[in-house]
Amino acid sequence: MSYTIGITGGSGSGKTSFLNKLLEHFTEKEICLVSLDNYYKLREEQPLDEKGVKNFDTPEGIDFSQLQYDLKELMKGNVVSKKEYTFNNPNKVPKVLTFTPAPIIIVEGFFIFYKQEIEECIELKIFMDARPDIMLKRRITRDAVERGYDLDDVLYRYENHVIPTYEKYIKPLKKKADIIIPNHTSFDKPLAILSAFIRELLKKK
């Protein structure tokens, strides 16, 4: 049976950077990473705000049923395939992602502790924390480069979608976390601790 770790936090809190560093220490046979980013509903199914702008920062835009199904399949030892979600980037050709069962399954994303059905699949819960100004800077870089949004669009979404969502949905999830990682400047120590913990788990598998 796989051991599941969940990592959540606000947009720009550093979840992806932390995970990229963590995965450098392990192989795909040891850790399977599942990102909530690939479980968004179709663009036409995303809720609209009062100005008619699609809001990707609400739980209503996530296909939790599919995520729950895929997690349970992985935990049973079954391979899962999922089409990559490319958001607003027309130049990015979606890949077909293959999730291979591994002793450690890491699930990351905004709302992974929001639904009880998903939370119950996760054994170790981690919350990445960062100052709002740092999160905004990271969000601008990510959305401009990876998702094809211009600066005005990024700032509008941050003020009207990201911050309200963080306060309403994400921040309250901090109380469910087993570990809170401050990521204002560096996460080297928490990274080393989590890596050592996973190594010990792998020895027992």
Side-chain angles (χ1 to χ4, degrees):
M1 192 72 170
S2 300
Y3 185 92
T4 54
I5 299 172
I7 300 181
T8 192
S11 178
S13 59
K15 298 183 296 296
T16 301
S17 297
F18 182 83
L19 282 166
N20 286 341
K21 286 292 184 183
L22 179 68
L23 294 176
E24 288 177 4
H25 300 279
F26 301 94
T27 68
E28 292 182 0
K29 291 182 178 180
E30 293 172 319
I31 292 181
C32 172
L33 173 64
V34 178
S35 175
L36 194 71
D37 279 357
N38 292 304
Y39 287 86
Y40 279 85
K41 295 176 183 176
L42 297 174
R43 283 186 58 80
E44 53 267 28
E45 296 180 58
Q46 295 299 318
L48 304 176
D49 66 13
E50 62 276 5
K51 290 190 175 181
V53 177
K54 292 185 184 297
N55 186 352
F56 290 94
D57 293 282
T58 70
E60 289 75 18
I62 304 294
D63 189 348
F64 288 106
S65 296
Q66 188 63 52
L67 174 60
Q68 181 185 3
Y69 178 83
D70 287 354
L71 278 178
K72 289 191 172 180
E73 285 298 297
L74 283 169
M75 292 167 72
K76 291 177 188 174
N78 298 325
V79 175
V80 171
S81 294
K82 184 79 174 68
K83 191 175 181 181
E84 180 186 28
Y85 198 88
T86 58
F87 291 89
N88 197 43
N89 194 337
N91 300 317
K92 191 171 184 180
V93 179
K95 305 173 187 174
V96 175
L97 306 172
T98 300
F99 304 122
T100 304
I104 308 295
I105 297 173
I106 296 180
V107 192
E108 72 88 15
F110 291 162
F111 303 115
I112 58 170
F113 304 157
Y114 176 73
K115 285 282 188 181
Q116 185 177 350
E117 299 90 337
I118 306 298
E119 183 195 354
E120 288 174 351
C121 295
I122 298 170
E123 296 173 81
L124 179 66
K125 302 175 182 66
I126 298 173
F127 190 98
M128 298 289 294
D129 205 10
R131 297 197 317 265
D133 60 307
I134 294 175
M135 290 196 289
L136 173 58
K137 182 178 179 181
R138 292 170 181 160
R139 173 91 179 200
I140 290 171
T141 302
R142 186 200 68 186
D143 280 4
V145 175
E146 297 178 17
R147 299 185 179 175
Y149 296 117
D150 62 33
L151 182 58
D152 288 341
D153 198 4
V154 175
L155 294 175
Y156 175 85
R157 290 174 186 276
Y158 193 81
E159 181 180 354
N160 295 280
H161 300 173
V162 178
I163 291 299
T165 289
Y166 179 77
E167 293 296 328
K168 183 176 181 179
Y169 298 110
I170 310 301
K171 192 175 179 180
L173 298 177
K174 191 185 293 189
K175 66 178 182 294
K176 295 187 176 184
D178 300 302
I179 300 171
I180 298 174
I181 298 177
N183 184 26
H184 311 305
T185 54
S186 171
F187 48 60
D188 291 347
K189 288 182 180 179
L191 178 65
I193 292 169
L194 183 59
S195 297
F197 175 71
I198 291 174
R199 285 285 178 214
E200 287 301 311
L201 288 175
L202 290 171
K203 287 179 184 179
K204 298 174 183 177
K205 294 290 183 181

